[in-house]
């Protein structure tokens, strides 16, 4: 394609916050910034001069911290910046030493009557809270936690739907300096224990249940088992979501939300101002190949990175209403909630994205959503469902769509611009729980090219390495980051010497963060994500990213979704493609031939699968990502060690002992 799908107009560019930031850099002239005049030169400066860049982000976004008259709120911006390995008190990297702040205080800086939280579910609109009401609710919840003796460093956990109470509980815990950790209520008992059982929280917030695809699902049965297995839980706080008076029998230390919070209404909200790297969140790896890693993210690094991405990459302002389709077990929930620090309204949704089919677009139209975040899978499924929001809903307020979770296929770019809205900033973003943020994301003052992520994150020294560890442009390779950034985990839980942390990211290319994505930098200085590098295919020694195949297969109208793996076969690897078809279709030879022909014509002969197999379902993690690795283990007869990390573990049965894979 020789032309971009969308280019922002001059007025939009002039009004963008990243433009204001560039002008500020030019005006203040920090070290090395002489040539900064556009996004590209800003990126290069941000990577070359990280201390000056991140200090500029702090000031531009107005981070609240303990002030020191005549001095910045910190001693040094970056100590040990030449070292990427896990933080060491002596060697670094350490950010904003001497600074003291509170994460919740930054998110609760606004005290007016504008809406802070707007909640919807499958049944339509629900609770709404203004910024003033949110502060009051957090104050009461924090008072209840303090009464229990919760202190900085204690763990507070949430096993909750995406409710306003979830946000309130998180902010209450972090206002004290406690560490928040959450997973969504669709986890089974083992999945919850694999996570919370490692960190041993003192308080567990939960709901009595949740709704999904029109069904009501109980949570308290699983909570009883979890409570019995984690004796450190002193109090279970139950949000009545399905029933006005939940049955708390057999649940020691349980109390309903209002009985817990109510006695503390009117309590003054206090904020514990703690070091920049004080633990804020404990996040978890997917756990599909073993016990989940517990990644500890610091308060300052999370806040600063999210502000950078929301303000400079998403152009978020207090006038915006931002939505992201997520559960509170996915890092995009944490990212979304940080929008409160900007003063934007956060729109929450709990339930199935297509139940009823157009519910999210009804919500977006009614609430005048300006930034709509979702997954690549949702956009693909919306296209398959035949949804045409541009025709059926008033999306005049909508100015940006964000997509993540997996690579966004070219046909989904076409769908967004033809069936959702023409004048639209479509930003495919990619990062991970490991960094609680993004390595590549949107550029609100740059063009959108079909199939590409627009830009590498400001301040993120992202490269693509060949097998020899050399940076390459235009060729496929490993996505890496070569210099420190503030939202690196401060530690792993129960990893006192940092050995597991180093093994996770730094062993492959010593001194460089290897993220595990297979990627390519483009001629527009954007990026294409080709899939997970540990799931790349290697037939005949040719490395192929799985996304290259998905892009072609899922454009076919008969195919709902697909999954591709490499099968060890006769001393080599052969590509096996599994397809889930629309109702009424069967994988016959003519359809299989069309799939092969399409892949061959649009990629290379190496990409063509040797086997194509129809299946009834495809396994996904709780956060909605297809799990190629689990299927690869199953077809080779190997044990999948953590089925509870899957949203639909029974789907793996479709891949066991397949006759089609024996020849």
């Amino acid at each position: 394609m020789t032309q971009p799908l969308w280019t922002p107009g001059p007025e939009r560019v002039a009004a963008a916050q990243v433009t204001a930031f560039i002008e500020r850099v030019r005006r203040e002239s920090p070290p090395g910034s002489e040539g900064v005049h556009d996004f590209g030169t800003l990126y290069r400066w941000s990577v070359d001069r990280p201390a000056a860049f991140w200090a500029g982000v702090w000031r531009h976004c107005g981070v609240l911290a303990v002030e020191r008259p005549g001095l910045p709120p910190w001693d040094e911006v970056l100590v040990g910046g030449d070292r990427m390995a896990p933080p060491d008190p002596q060697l670094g990297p350490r950010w904003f030493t001497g600074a003291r702040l509170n994460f919740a205080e930054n998110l609760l800086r606004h005290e007016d009557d504008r809406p802070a939280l707007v909640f919807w579910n499958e049944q339509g609109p629900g609770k709404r809270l203004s910024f003033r009401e949110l502060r009051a609710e957090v104050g009461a919840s924090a008072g209840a936690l303090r009464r229990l003796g919760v202190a900085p460093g204690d763990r507070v956990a949430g096993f909750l739907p995406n409710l306003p109470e979830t946000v309130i509980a998180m902010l209450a815990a972090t206002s004290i300096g406690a560490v928040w950790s959450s997973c969504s209520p669709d986890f089974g008992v083992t999945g919850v224990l694999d996570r919370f059982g490692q960190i041993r929280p003192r308080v567990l917030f939960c709901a009595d249940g949740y709704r999904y695809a029109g069904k009501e699902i109980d949570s308290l049965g699983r909570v009883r088992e979890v409570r019995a297995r984690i004796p450190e839980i002193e109090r279970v706080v139950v949000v009545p979501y399905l029933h006005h008076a939940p049955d708390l029998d057999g649940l020691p230390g349980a109390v309903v939300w209002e009985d817990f919070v109510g006695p503390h209404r009117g309590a003054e909200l206090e904020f514990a101002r703690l070091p920049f790297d004080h633990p804020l969140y404990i996040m978890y790896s997917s756990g599909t190949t073993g016990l989940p890693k517990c990644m500890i993210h610091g308060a300052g690094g999370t806040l600063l990175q999210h502000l950078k991405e929301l303000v400079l990459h998403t152009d978020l302002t207090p006038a915006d209403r931002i939505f992201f389709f997520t559960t509170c077990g996915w890092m995009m929930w944490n990212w979304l909630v940080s929008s409160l620090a900007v003063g934007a309204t956060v729109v929450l949704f709990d339930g199935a994205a297509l139940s009823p089919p157009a519910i999210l677009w009804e919500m977006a139209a009614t609430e005048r959503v300006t930034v709509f975040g979702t997954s690549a899978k949702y956009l693909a499924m919306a296209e398959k469902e035949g949804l045409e929001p541009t025709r059926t809903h008033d999306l005049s307020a909508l100015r940006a769509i964000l997509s993540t979770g997996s690579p966004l296929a070219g046909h989904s770019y076409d769908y967004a611009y033809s069936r959702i809205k023409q004048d639209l900033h479509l930003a495919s973003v990619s990062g991970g729980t490991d960094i609680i943020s993004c390595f590549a994301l949107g550029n609100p003052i740059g063009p959108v090219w079909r199939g590409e992520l627009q830009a590498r994150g400001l301040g993120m020294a992202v490269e693509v390495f060949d097998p020899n560890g050399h940076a390459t442009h235009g060729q496929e390779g490993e996505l890496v980051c070569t210099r420190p950034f503030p939202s690196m985990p401060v530690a792993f839980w129960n990893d006192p010497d940092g050995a597991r942390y180093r093994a996770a990211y730094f062993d492959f290319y010593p001194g460089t963060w290897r993220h595990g994505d297979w990627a390519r930098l483009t001629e527009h200085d954007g990026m294409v994500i080709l899939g997970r590098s540990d799931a790349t295919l290697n037939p005949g020694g040719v490395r192929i990213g799985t996304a290259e195949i998905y892009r072609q297969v899922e454009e076919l109208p008969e195919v709902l979704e697909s999954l591709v793996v490499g099968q060890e076969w006769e001393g080599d690897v052969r590509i096996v493609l599994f397809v889930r078809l629309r109702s009424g279709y069967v994988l016959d030879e003519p359809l299989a031939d069309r799939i092969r022909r399409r892949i061959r014509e649009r990629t290379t002969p190496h990409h063509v699968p040797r086997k194509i197999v129809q299946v009834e379902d495809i396994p996904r993690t709780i956060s909605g990502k297809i799990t190629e690795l689990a299927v690869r283990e199953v077809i080779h007869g190997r044990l999948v060690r953590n089925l509870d990390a899957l949203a639909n573990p029974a789907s793996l049965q479709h891949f066991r002992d397949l006759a089609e894979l024996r020849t």
Side-chain angles (χ1 to χ4, degrees):
M1 174 176 286
T2 57
Q3 296 295 321
L5 292 172
W6 176 83
T7 302
E11 291 184 1
R12 191 158 178 166
V13 172
Q17 297 202 72
V18 70
T19 300
F21 184 74
I22 291 169
E23 291 170 352
R24 180 173 185 153
V25 170
R26 290 171 60 84
R27 184 172 64 252
E28 296 179 354
S29 299
S33 64
E34 296 80 9
V36 173
H37 64 276
D38 60 9
F39 192 93
T41 52
L42 176 65
Y43 173 75
R44 287 189 285 276
W45 172 72
S46 74
V47 169
D48 292 340
R49 301 286 186 137
F53 168 73
W54 288 106
V57 172
W58 178 300
R59 295 188 184 99
H60 189 75
C61 296
V63 172
L64 299 179
V66 175
E67 295 294 334
R68 303 190 297 188
L71 296 170
W74 57 80
D75 296 330
E76 293 186 67
V77 174
L78 177 57
V79 175
D82 57 346
R83 183 172 183 266
M84 274 288 284
D88 182 293
Q90 303 303 319
L91 302 177
R94 295 182 64 211
W95 293 89
F96 294 94
T97 59
R100 299 184 72 84
L101 54 77
N102 183 273
F103 180 81
E105 182 177 16
N106 277 272
L107 270 62
L108 294 169
R109 66 174 69 192
H110 305 277
E111 300 185 57
D112 50 49
D113 293 321
R114 293 178 304 115
L117 298 178
V118 172
F119 173 69
W120 276 57
N121 61 18
E122 295 173 4
Q123 298 174 327
K127 182 180 292 187
R128 312 168 85 85
L129 289 171
S130 69
F131 279 97
R132 193 184 313 281
E133 291 168 333
L134 177 60
R135 275 187 67 98
E137 288 297 306
V138 172
S141 302
L145 290 174
R146 288 182 189 275
R147 181 66 181 268
L148 281 179
V150 173
D154 287 342
R155 276 80 62 208
V156 176
F159 180 54
L160 286 157
N162 190 12
L163 305 173
E165 288 85 353
T166 311
V167 179
I168 293 165
M170 179 277 286
L171 290 170
T174 57
S175 72
I176 296 169
V179 187
W180 174 261
S181 190
S182 60
C183 60
S184 60
D186 46 2
F187 275 80
V189 172
T190 302
V192 178
L193 290 171
D194 283 350
R195 289 158 176 80
F196 296 164
Q198 294 187 66
I199 67 169
R200 304 281 161 174
R202 288 186 61 186
V203 182
L204 176 65
F205 286 89
C206 68
D208 56 346
Y210 63 100
R211 296 183 181 91
Y212 191 83
K215 299 178 181 178
E216 292 190 351
I217 301 164
D218 174 74
S219 293
L220 292 181
R222 283 167 291 154
V223 172
R224 289 183 177 93
E225 291 189 56
V226 170
R227 170 66 182 83
R229 299 277 294 277
I230 306 179
E232 290 84 355
I233 296 175
E234 302 168 23
R235 179 74 74 219
V236 178
V237 183
V238 181
V239 178
Y241 183 37
L242 298 184
H243 309 287
H244 179 70
D247 179 8
L248 304 186
D249 286 349
L251 195 51
V255 60
V256 295
W257 175 273
E258 186 56 33
D259 289 347
F260 182 69
V261 172
H264 301 275
R265 296 206 186 279
E268 184 176 349
L269 185 53
E270 303 174 32
F271 298 106
R273 297 183 179 96
L274 298 158
F276 185 85
D277 57 2
H278 179 78
L280 170 74
Y281 291 136
I282 295 177
M283 310 292 291
Y284 306 96
S285 63
S286 62
T288 52
T289 58
L291 203 63
K293 298 189 294 287
C294 302
M295 296 164 276
I296 305 171
H297 286 289
T302 301
L303 175 68
L304 199 61
Q305 182 77 289
H306 286 182
L307 284 172
K308 180 208 75 178
E309 295 183 346
L310 291 163
V311 173
L312 302 184
H313 287 279
T314 312
D315 202 25
L316 197 71
T317 73
D320 281 305
R321 293 186 163 210
I322 182 171
F323 161 75
F324 217 104
F325 180 71
T326 178
T327 70
C328 59
W330 189 19
M331 60 138 290
M332 295 312 302
W333 179 86
N334 308 74
W335 189 91
L336 170 67
V337 173
S338 290
S339 303
L340 294 170
V342 180
T345 298
V346 171
V347 180
L348 306 172
F349 179 86
D350 190 71
L354 293 167
S355 181
I359 183 65
L360 295 187
W361 299 114
E362 180 68 24
M363 179 201 68
T366 302
E367 300 299 343
R368 307 291 291 167
V369 168
T370 57
V371 179
F372 182 100
T374 187
S375 65
K377 189 62 195 174
Y378 171 76
L379 291 175
M381 295 300 289
E383 181 180 5
K384 297 283 185 183
E385 286 281 340
L387 299 184
E388 296 187 48
T390 188
R391 184 176 57 82
T392 57
H393 292 84
D394 175 10
L395 299 181
S396 55
L398 185 67
R399 62 171 179 80
I401 288 181
L402 312 180
S403 170
T404 191
S406 58
L408 187 64
H411 64 85
S412 291
Y413 283 78
D414 300 335
Y415 169 71
Y417 283 107
S418 63
R419 305 297 175 85
I420 299 177
K421 193 172 184 180
Q422 285 186 323
D423 185 13
L424 185 74
H425 179 206
L426 176 59
S428 178
V429 307
S430 181
T433 301
D434 314 71
I435 64 171
I436 203 165
S437 58
C438 303
F439 278 128
L441 58 171
N443 168 12
I445 61 173
V448 174
W449 297 87
R450 188 179 192 268
E452 294 186 21
L453 290 76
Q454 284 179 286
R456 289 171 280 184
L458 293 166
M460 310 291 278
V462 175
E463 300 285 356
V464 173
F465 273 11
D466 67 17
N468 297 316
H470 299 140
T472 179
H473 205 113
Q475 298 180 9
E476 298 173 8
E478 292 275 0
L479 188 154
V480 301
C481 192
T482 60
R483 299 182 187 178
F485 50 93
S487 65
M488 292 167 60
V490 297
F492 280 9
W493 190 259
N494 288 331
D495 184 30
D497 62 355
R500 286 193 295 143
Y501 190 153
R502 286 190 294 274
Y505 310 113
F506 301 105
D507 280 0
F508 198 86
Y509 298 114
T512 293
W513 178 294
R514 173 186 179 245
H515 195 56
D517 281 341
W518 195 245
R520 172 171 52 83
L521 292 171
T522 73
E523 61 182 308
H524 311 115
D525 214 22
M527 179 173 281
V528 176
I529 304 292
L530 301 162
R532 294 294 293 171
S533 59
D534 54 7
T536 53
L537 310 168
N538 199 22
V542 178
R543 292 198 75 175
I544 294 171
T546 54
E548 297 177 83
I549 296 175
Y550 295 140
R551 287 191 179 100
Q552 309 311 323
V553 175
E554 295 185 10
E555 286 190 26
L556 294 168
E558 298 91 340
V559 180
L560 272 178
E561 57 183 350
S562 59
L563 183 147
V564 64
V565 298
Q567 182 190 16
E568 298 161 10
W569 189 256
E570 297 180 349
D572 196 359
V573 172
R574 67 179 180 183
I575 296 176
V576 178
L577 173 67
F578 298 98
V579 292
R580 177 176 164 236
L581 302 180
R582 295 174 66 89
S583 177
Y585 289 95
V586 175
L587 182 68
D588 54 18
E589 200 53 42
L591 177 56
D593 284 344
R594 278 207 299 128
I595 292 172
R596 292 189 184 95
R597 185 167 61 252
R598 184 183 190 91
I599 294 171
R600 181 181 294 106
E601 290 174 352
R602 299 196 176 195
T603 56
T604 76
H606 295 292
H607 291 70
V608 178
R610 293 281 298 278
K611 295 284 184 177
I612 305 177
V613 182
Q614 182 177 355
V615 290
E616 295 179 20
D617 198 6
I618 285 177
R620 315 186 81 83
T621 65
I622 295 292
S623 61
K625 299 178 182 179
I626 63 171
T627 175
E628 297 150 330
L629 298 184
V631 170
R632 190 175 69 190
E633 296 303 284
V634 167
I635 68 169
H636 290 103
R638 297 191 285 261
L639 179 67
V640 179
R641 288 182 285 176
N642 197 348
L643 294 176
D644 219 56
L646 301 180
N648 53 342
S651 62
L652 286 177
Q653 297 302 322
H654 301 308
F655 300 85
R656 296 189 190 279
D657 302 318
L658 291 172
E660 295 95 328
L661 302 188
R662 296 176 193 156
T663 59

